Amino acid sequence: MSSRIDGRGIAWALFFLVVLLLLFDLLSQDSILADFFSGPERHERRIERAMRRALER
């Protein structure tokens, strides 16, 4: 019994891989997607919060 990988299976595998990568990016601190959709204002606030947390330690 040989296993055959068809185009449909490869497409689904790539789809799930992309979804996992997007979720990983959204959950990370330096999310490219979150910065893209929210604009630079949110990124500046993130930096300010990180600096405040570092100074409070």
Side-chain angles (χ1 to χ4, degrees), residues 6-17:
D6 60 347
R8 201 171 185 191
I10 292 173
W12 277 110
L14 288 175
F15 172 76
F16 285 118
L17 179 66

